[in-house]
Amino acid sequence: MTVSVSASRVALAGGIALSSVVLLSGTAFAHVSVQPQGEAAKGGYATVNIKVPNERDNASTVKLEVNFPLDHPLASVMPQPVPGWKAEVTKSKLSKPLELHGKKINEAVSKVTWTADGSKIGPGQFQQFPLSLGQLPEDTDQLVLKAIQTYDNKEIVRWIEEAKEGADEPQNPAPVLKLSAASEDHHGAATAPSASASTSASASASGDAKTGHDDKSGDHEEKTAAAASSSDTTARILGVIGILVGIAGVAFGVLAGRRRSA
């Protein structure tokens, strides 16, 4: 009886722990988000992925709408084609024109909508929708991209709640794109080295290579000289040994002759 009760308690505790993990993981990870591919610097351009997980076990996602803030407008928002999905870009009139590359722009992208066209996001799956964005604003640290997700059972989930500092994450948080500090050229490209610096570096490398070659040549000559000296010493020693053996042979012969004569 005691063993049975203990087993039941263990099973119950395990079930509670598993349920907690599932609930917490669902709350923490199963929401629409925006993820930059590389740097998203103020005043520059960026490529981002809108990541859409399917939260339902009995329905599939067939539509996604992402809204862009007009208080920090983007002059260019271009979706990358996604097989099985149709993308539609909506623009809105701006109350204050944007100036980009010396030109005034009176409208900006306010919404991009993807609609299933032979595909869908099924249970246990996710889909990424790539976007090219630019020019990113310089007067804010982030862009809030409110999203609306539609399922094939007509259910609609609005990812539009903005997180507040010091508060818990909302139940349906809006995707947020964090912007990094502006780069010098506004494109995030590395500055090319000057011609003089390149020449100096090349000369230095050539000099180093030559020095290294000379050092190797010197080492080779020293090793060759050492080997020759060693060979010469060995030859001399063998020569002396040969002379001694010869003298010993002559002496042995003389002694042997005397013994025979006696």
Side-chain angles (χ1 to χ4, degrees):
M1 184 67 178
T2 303
V3 174
S4 177
V5 171
S6 299
S8 298
R9 289 177 177 175
V10 170
L12 178 61
I16 293 173
L18 180 60
S19 300
S20 300
V21 169
V22 171
L23 289 174
L24 289 174
S25 62
T27 301
F29 301 108
H31 57 258
V32 176
S33 60
V34 56
Q35 302 171 339
Q37 304 304 297
E39 186 179 32
K42 297 177 183 179
Y45 296 80
T47 299
V48 303
N49 279 334
I50 306 296
K51 184 177 180 180
V52 185
N54 190 84
E55 289 189 309
R56 303 296 179 257
D57 296 329
N58 57 353
S60 298
T61 298
V62 293
K63 185 178 179 180
L64 176 71
E65 176 185 308
V66 175
N67 295 274
F68 295 85
L70 291 179
D71 56 342
H72 299 294
L74 298 173
S76 174
V77 177
M78 295 187 295
Q80 179 177 317
V82 177
W85 293 83
K86 180 182 178 182
E88 181 182 357
V89 178
T90 303
K91 293 185 177 182
S92 297
K93 194 94 172 171
L94 295 174
S95 57
K96 183 180 179 181
L98 273 178
E99 188 170 339
L100 183 64
H101 301 307
K103 296 181 179 180
K104 286 189 176 181
I105 299 174
N106 296 313
E107 60 180 12
V109 173
S110 57
K111 180 172 63 177
V112 177
T113 304
W114 289 270
T115 305
D117 185 21
S119 185
K120 58 185 178 182
I121 308 172
Q125 298 178 344
F126 76 93
Q127 178 66 54
Q128 295 190 109
F129 298 95
L131 288 171
S132 174
L133 308 179
Q135 187 173 359
L136 298 174
E138 299 183 54
D139 56 351
T140 184
D141 295 326
Q142 64 180 29
L143 291 176
V144 178
L145 311 180
K146 297 182 178 182
I148 300 175
Q149 182 178 12
T150 303
Y151 289 88
D152 56 7
N153 63 356
K154 307 303 181 183
E155 180 185 2
I156 296 176
V157 181
R158 302 178 185 277
W159 303 98
I160 61 175
E161 299 177 40
E162 297 187 39
K164 296 180 180 179
E165 188 175 354
D168 294 336
E169 183 182 53
Q171 185 176 355
N172 295 321
V176 177
L177 175 63
K178 300 288 186 180
L179 304 181
S180 59
S183 58
E184 291 183 1
D185 58 0
H186 282 180
H187 292 277
T191 304
S194 63
S196 59
S198 299
T199 304
S200 176
S202 177
S204 176
S206 176
D208 290 344
K210 185 176 180 181
T211 301
H213 179 73
D214 291 343
D215 289 343
K216 290 180 181 178
S217 298
D219 291 343
H220 179 70
E221 291 176 359
E222 290 178 3
K223 289 179 180 179
T224 302
S229 176
S230 175
S231 299
D232 185 58
T233 301
T234 302
R236 289 179 181 178
I237 293 174
L238 291 175
V240 171
I241 292 175
I243 293 172
L244 293 176
V245 170
I247 294 173
V250 172
F252 179 77
V254 172
L255 292 174
R258 288 181 179 179
R259 287 178 182 175
R260 287 176 184 175
S261 297

Tab-separated table of all heavy atoms in Angstrom, residues 183-227:
chain	number	residue	atom	x	y	z
A	183	SER	N	26.444	52.922	-37.944
A	183	SER	CA	27.814	52.762	-38.427
A	183	SER	C	28.192	53.999	-39.233
A	183	SER	O	27.332	54.778	-39.638
A	183	SER	CB	27.923	51.492	-39.291
A	183	SER	OG	27.018	51.552	-40.372
A	184	GLU	N	29.489	54.165	-39.483
A	184	GLU	CA	29.976	55.377	-40.148
A	184	GLU	C	29.421	55.536	-41.558
A	184	GLU	O	29.080	56.619	-41.999
A	184	GLU	CB	31.510	55.365	-40.189
A	184	GLU	CG	32.134	55.548	-38.810
A	184	GLU	CD	33.643	55.610	-38.878
A	184	GLU	OE1	34.188	55.536	-39.996
A	184	GLU	OE2	34.285	55.750	-37.832
A	185	ASP	N	29.330	54.418	-42.305
A	185	ASP	CA	28.876	54.517	-43.696
A	185	ASP	C	27.404	54.179	-43.857
A	185	ASP	O	26.886	54.137	-44.970
A	185	ASP	CB	29.720	53.624	-44.605
A	185	ASP	CG	29.672	52.165	-44.169
A	185	ASP	OD1	28.989	51.871	-43.174
A	185	ASP	OD2	30.300	51.331	-44.834
A	186	HIS	N	26.705	53.878	-42.739
A	186	HIS	CA	25.284	53.554	-42.747
A	186	HIS	C	24.955	52.275	-43.513
A	186	HIS	O	23.799	52.018	-43.809
A	186	HIS	CB	24.456	54.702	-43.346
A	186	HIS	CG	24.262	55.833	-42.368
A	186	HIS	ND1	23.549	56.955	-42.688
A	186	HIS	CD2	24.683	56.013	-41.103
A	186	HIS	CE1	23.538	57.792	-41.647
A	186	HIS	NE2	24.231	57.225	-40.684
A	187	HIS	N	25.959	51.507	-43.823
A	187	HIS	CA	25.707	50.251	-44.522
A	187	HIS	C	26.354	49.083	-43.795
A	187	HIS	O	26.217	47.955	-44.218
A	187	HIS	CB	26.238	50.306	-45.961
A	187	HIS	CG	25.466	51.258	-46.834
A	187	HIS	ND1	24.291	50.914	-47.443
A	187	HIS	CD2	25.692	52.553	-47.174
A	187	HIS	CE1	23.827	51.949	-48.143
A	187	HIS	NE2	24.660	52.953	-47.990
A	188	GLY	N	27.077	49.368	-42.736
A	188	GLY	CA	27.710	48.313	-41.967
A	188	GLY	C	28.899	47.689	-42.663
A	188	GLY	O	29.384	46.638	-42.289
A	189	ALA	N	29.397	48.333	-43.757
A	189	ALA	CA	30.519	47.769	-44.494
A	189	ALA	C	31.829	48.180	-43.849
A	189	ALA	O	31.967	49.276	-43.339
A	189	ALA	CB	30.491	48.249	-45.945
A	190	ALA	N	32.786	47.285	-43.891
A	190	ALA	CA	34.092	47.594	-43.317
A	190	ALA	C	34.821	48.568	-44.219
A	190	ALA	O	34.705	48.528	-45.440
A	190	ALA	CB	34.901	46.312	-43.167
A	191	THR	N	35.575	49.497	-43.629
A	191	THR	CA	36.318	50.482	-44.405
A	191	THR	C	37.540	49.826	-45.020
A	191	THR	O	38.306	49.142	-44.348
A	191	THR	CB	36.773	51.643	-43.502
A	191	THR	OG1	35.619	52.192	-42.869
A	191	THR	CG2	37.471	52.704	-44.302
A	192	ALA	N	37.747	50.055	-46.329
A	192	ALA	CA	38.883	49.450	-47.020
A	192	ALA	C	40.161	50.152	-46.611
A	192	ALA	O	40.182	51.364	-46.409
A	192	ALA	CB	38.690	49.566	-48.531
A	193	PRO	N	41.284	49.444	-46.494
A	193	PRO	CA	42.552	50.071	-46.129
A	193	PRO	C	43.043	50.977	-47.242
A	193	PRO	O	42.771	50.747	-48.414
A	193	PRO	CB	43.489	48.871	-45.921
A	193	PRO	CG	42.887	47.770	-46.733
A	193	PRO	CD	41.408	47.997	-46.669
A	194	SER	N	43.790	52.038	-46.874
A	194	SER	CA	44.309	52.975	-47.872
A	194	SER	C	45.386	52.308	-48.707
A	194	SER	O	45.966	51.306	-48.336
A	194	SER	CB	44.895	54.205	-47.176
A	194	SER	OG	45.990	53.819	-46.371
A	195	ALA	N	45.670	52.946	-49.890
A	195	ALA	CA	46.666	52.377	-50.796
A	195	ALA	C	48.040	52.348	-50.159
A	195	ALA	O	48.779	51.382	-50.287
A	195	ALA	CB	46.703	53.191	-52.098
A	196	SER	N	48.376	53.442	-49.427
A	196	SER	CA	49.696	53.503	-48.805
A	196	SER	C	49.842	52.443	-47.735
A	196	SER	O	50.882	51.820	-47.595
A	196	SER	CB	49.925	54.898	-48.200
A	196	SER	OG	48.936	55.191	-47.231
A	197	ALA	N	48.746	52.237	-46.980
A	197	ALA	CA	48.787	51.218	-45.928
A	197	ALA	C	48.943	49.845	-46.537
A	197	ALA	O	49.691	49.002	-46.043
A	197	ALA	CB	47.512	51.280	-45.086
A	198	SER	N	48.226	49.619	-47.676
A	198	SER	CA	48.323	48.329	-48.343
A	198	SER	C	49.733	48.106	-48.871
A	198	SER	O	50.302	47.022	-48.763
A	198	SER	CB	47.328	48.258	-49.501
A	198	SER	OG	46.017	48.403	-49.023
A	199	THR	N	50.306	49.198	-49.476
A	199	THR	CA	51.660	49.087	-50.005
A	199	THR	C	52.657	48.792	-48.902
A	199	THR	O	53.548	47.960	-49.035
A	199	THR	CB	52.055	50.397	-50.723
A	199	THR	OG1	51.086	50.679	-51.730
A	199	THR	CG2	53.427	50.284	-51.339
A	200	SER	N	52.498	49.531	-47.773
A	200	SER	CA	53.405	49.330	-46.639
A	200	SER	C	53.307	47.921	-46.101
A	200	SER	O	54.305	47.278	-45.811
A	200	SER	CB	53.062	50.339	-45.537
A	200	SER	OG	53.853	50.114	-44.399
A	201	ALA	N	52.053	47.454	-46.003
A	201	ALA	CA	51.848	46.109	-45.484
A	201	ALA	C	52.450	45.081	-46.419
A	201	ALA	O	53.061	44.103	-46.001
A	201	ALA	CB	50.349	45.845	-45.310
A	202	SER	N	52.291	45.336	-47.760
A	202	SER	CA	52.840	44.407	-48.737
A	202	SER	C	54.359	44.381	-48.669
A	202	SER	O	54.984	43.331	-48.712
A	202	SER	CB	52.379	44.822	-50.144
A	202	SER	OG	52.957	43.992	-51.113
A	203	ALA	N	54.956	45.605	-48.550
A	203	ALA	CA	56.413	45.681	-48.467
A	203	ALA	C	56.917	44.991	-47.213
A	203	ALA	O	57.928	44.291	-47.230
A	203	ALA	CB	56.860	47.146	-48.480
A	204	SER	N	56.203	45.230	-46.119
A	204	SER	CA	56.594	44.605	-44.857
A	204	SER	C	56.540	43.096	-44.957
A	204	SER	O	57.430	42.391	-44.517
A	204	SER	CB	55.660	45.083	-43.734
A	204	SER	OG	55.970	44.434	-42.535
A	205	ALA	N	55.443	42.616	-45.594
A	205	ALA	CA	55.299	41.176	-45.750
A	205	ALA	C	56.406	40.616	-46.618
A	205	ALA	O	56.972	39.558	-46.354
A	205	ALA	CB	53.939	40.850	-46.373
A	206	SER	N	56.747	41.389	-47.726
A	206	SER	CA	57.819	40.948	-48.619
A	206	SER	C	59.147	40.903	-47.887
A	206	SER	O	59.934	39.975	-48.028
A	206	SER	CB	57.894	41.898	-49.818
A	206	SER	OG	58.972	41.551	-50.651
A	207	GLY	N	59.377	41.976	-47.063
A	207	GLY	CA	60.620	42.024	-46.307
A	207	GLY	C	60.716	40.880	-45.324
A	207	GLY	O	61.754	40.242	-45.164
A	208	ASP	N	59.599	40.623	-44.656
A	208	ASP	CA	59.580	39.521	-43.690
A	208	ASP	C	59.855	38.204	-44.381
A	208	ASP	O	60.585	37.345	-43.870
A	208	ASP	CB	58.217	39.462	-42.989
A	208	ASP	CG	58.024	40.643	-42.059
A	208	ASP	OD1	59.039	41.298	-41.733
A	208	ASP	OD2	56.878	40.901	-41.658
A	209	ALA	N	59.240	38.054	-45.589
A	209	ALA	CA	59.429	36.808	-46.308
A	209	ALA	C	60.895	36.651	-46.719
A	209	ALA	O	61.478	35.575	-46.624
A	209	ALA	CB	58.530	36.778	-47.547
A	210	LYS	N	61.496	37.797	-47.211
A	210	LYS	CA	62.896	37.753	-47.632
A	210	LYS	C	63.806	37.456	-46.459
A	210	LYS	O	64.731	36.664	-46.552
A	210	LYS	CB	63.275	39.091	-48.284
A	210	LYS	CG	64.678	39.102	-48.874
A	210	LYS	CD	64.958	40.425	-49.583
A	210	LYS	CE	66.356	40.432	-50.170
A	210	LYS	NZ	66.658	41.708	-50.840
A	211	THR	N	63.529	38.137	-45.331
A	211	THR	CA	64.335	37.910	-44.136
A	211	THR	C	64.256	36.462	-43.715
A	211	THR	O	65.241	35.825	-43.355
A	211	THR	CB	63.841	38.815	-42.996
A	211	THR	OG1	63.931	40.171	-43.420
A	211	THR	CG2	64.673	38.611	-41.746
A	212	GLY	N	63.013	35.946	-43.763
A	212	GLY	CA	62.834	34.549	-43.385
A	212	GLY	C	63.611	33.636	-44.302
A	212	GLY	O	64.205	32.647	-43.879
A	213	HIS	N	63.668	33.989	-45.623
A	213	HIS	CA	64.410	33.180	-46.589
A	213	HIS	C	65.897	33.244	-46.310
A	213	HIS	O	66.599	32.233	-46.358
A	213	HIS	CB	64.117	33.688	-48.007
A	213	HIS	CG	64.856	32.924	-49.077
A	213	HIS	ND1	64.514	31.642	-49.433
A	213	HIS	CD2	65.924	33.289	-49.857
A	213	HIS	CE1	65.332	31.231	-50.393
A	213	HIS	NE2	66.199	32.210	-50.665
A	214	ASP	N	66.378	34.491	-46.020
A	214	ASP	CA	67.803	34.644	-45.713
A	214	ASP	C	68.181	33.861	-44.468
A	214	ASP	O	69.225	33.236	-44.395
A	214	ASP	CB	68.135	36.126	-45.513
A	214	ASP	CG	68.022	36.900	-46.837
A	214	ASP	OD1	68.015	36.239	-47.894
A	214	ASP	OD2	67.931	38.149	-46.778
A	215	ASP	N	67.280	33.923	-43.458
A	215	ASP	CA	67.580	33.193	-42.227
A	215	ASP	C	67.673	31.709	-42.501
A	215	ASP	O	68.549	31.006	-41.981
A	215	ASP	CB	66.471	33.466	-41.201
A	215	ASP	CG	66.540	34.901	-40.687
A	215	ASP	OD1	67.595	35.537	-40.879
A	215	ASP	OD2	65.538	35.365	-40.106
A	216	LYS	N	66.753	31.224	-43.356
A	216	LYS	CA	66.773	29.799	-43.657
A	216	LYS	C	68.031	29.432	-44.421
A	216	LYS	O	68.633	28.373	-44.202
A	216	LYS	CB	65.534	29.438	-44.482
A	216	LYS	CG	64.250	29.505	-43.682
A	216	LYS	CD	63.049	29.130	-44.534
A	216	LYS	CE	61.769	29.215	-43.720
A	216	LYS	NZ	60.575	28.893	-44.536
A	217	SER	N	68.477	30.350	-45.362
A	217	SER	CA	69.704	30.083	-46.123
A	217	SER	C	70.895	30.020	-45.189
A	217	SER	O	71.763	29.154	-45.309
A	217	SER	CB	69.919	31.194	-47.167
A	217	SER	OG	68.849	31.212	-48.084
A	218	GLY	N	70.949	30.976	-44.225
A	218	GLY	CA	72.059	30.987	-43.269
A	218	GLY	C	72.091	29.718	-42.447
A	218	GLY	O	73.139	29.115	-42.215
A	219	ASP	N	70.920	29.308	-41.995
A	219	ASP	CA	70.841	28.071	-41.203
A	219	ASP	C	71.328	26.891	-42.016
A	219	ASP	O	72.038	26.007	-41.515
A	219	ASP	CB	69.394	27.837	-40.760
A	219	ASP	CG	68.954	28.872	-39.737
A	219	ASP	OD1	69.854	29.522	-39.157
A	219	ASP	OD2	67.732	29.008	-39.528
A	220	HIS	N	70.958	26.866	-43.315
A	220	HIS	CA	71.360	25.747	-44.167
A	220	HIS	C	72.872	25.719	-44.339
A	220	HIS	O	73.501	24.654	-44.284
A	220	HIS	CB	70.672	25.903	-45.534
A	220	HIS	CG	71.036	24.807	-46.507
A	220	HIS	ND1	70.598	23.500	-46.350
A	220	HIS	CD2	71.813	24.837	-47.633
A	220	HIS	CE1	71.076	22.773	-47.335
A	220	HIS	NE2	71.816	23.560	-48.136
A	221	GLU	N	73.479	26.911	-44.549
A	221	GLU	CA	74.941	26.978	-44.734
A	221	GLU	C	75.650	26.526	-43.467
A	221	GLU	O	76.661	25.813	-43.525
A	221	GLU	CB	75.346	28.409	-45.096
A	221	GLU	CG	74.875	28.819	-46.496
A	221	GLU	CD	75.194	30.274	-46.794
A	221	GLU	OE1	75.751	30.925	-45.890
A	221	GLU	OE2	74.911	30.735	-47.910
A	222	GLU	N	75.120	26.980	-42.297
A	222	GLU	CA	75.760	26.587	-41.040
A	222	GLU	C	75.695	25.072	-40.850
A	222	GLU	O	76.653	24.431	-40.429
A	222	GLU	CB	75.070	27.290	-39.875
A	222	GLU	CG	75.345	28.794	-39.829
A	222	GLU	CD	74.607	29.454	-38.689
A	222	GLU	OE1	73.942	28.719	-37.928
A	222	GLU	OE2	74.689	30.684	-38.550
A	223	LYS	N	74.512	24.515	-41.191
A	223	LYS	CA	74.368	23.059	-41.031
A	223	LYS	C	75.298	22.315	-41.991
A	223	LYS	O	75.889	21.292	-41.644
A	223	LYS	CB	72.917	22.660	-41.302
A	223	LYS	CG	71.962	23.124	-40.204
A	223	LYS	CD	70.536	22.719	-40.534
A	223	LYS	CE	69.578	23.183	-39.447
A	223	LYS	NZ	68.175	22.833	-39.759
A	224	THR	N	75.425	22.855	-43.216
A	224	THR	CA	76.312	22.219	-44.204
A	224	THR	C	77.753	22.258	-43.741
A	224	THR	O	78.498	21.281	-43.849
A	224	THR	CB	76.180	22.944	-45.555
A	224	THR	OG1	74.811	22.905	-45.975
A	224	THR	CG2	77.039	22.271	-46.616
A	225	ALA	N	78.163	23.442	-43.202
A	225	ALA	CA	79.546	23.575	-42.720
A	225	ALA	C	79.808	22.635	-41.554
A	225	ALA	O	80.867	22.007	-41.460
A	225	ALA	CB	79.788	25.030	-42.292
A	226	ALA	N	78.837	22.533	-40.674
A	226	ALA	CA	78.997	21.654	-39.507
A	226	ALA	C	79.123	20.209	-39.951
A	226	ALA	O	79.931	19.433	-39.419
A	226	ALA	CB	77.792	21.829	-38.567
A	227	ALA	N	78.297	19.850	-40.955
A	227	ALA	CA	78.349	18.463	-41.445
A	227	ALA	C	79.705	18.178	-42.089
A	227	ALA	O	80.292	17.108	-41.904
A	227	ALA	CB	77.217	18.238	-42.457
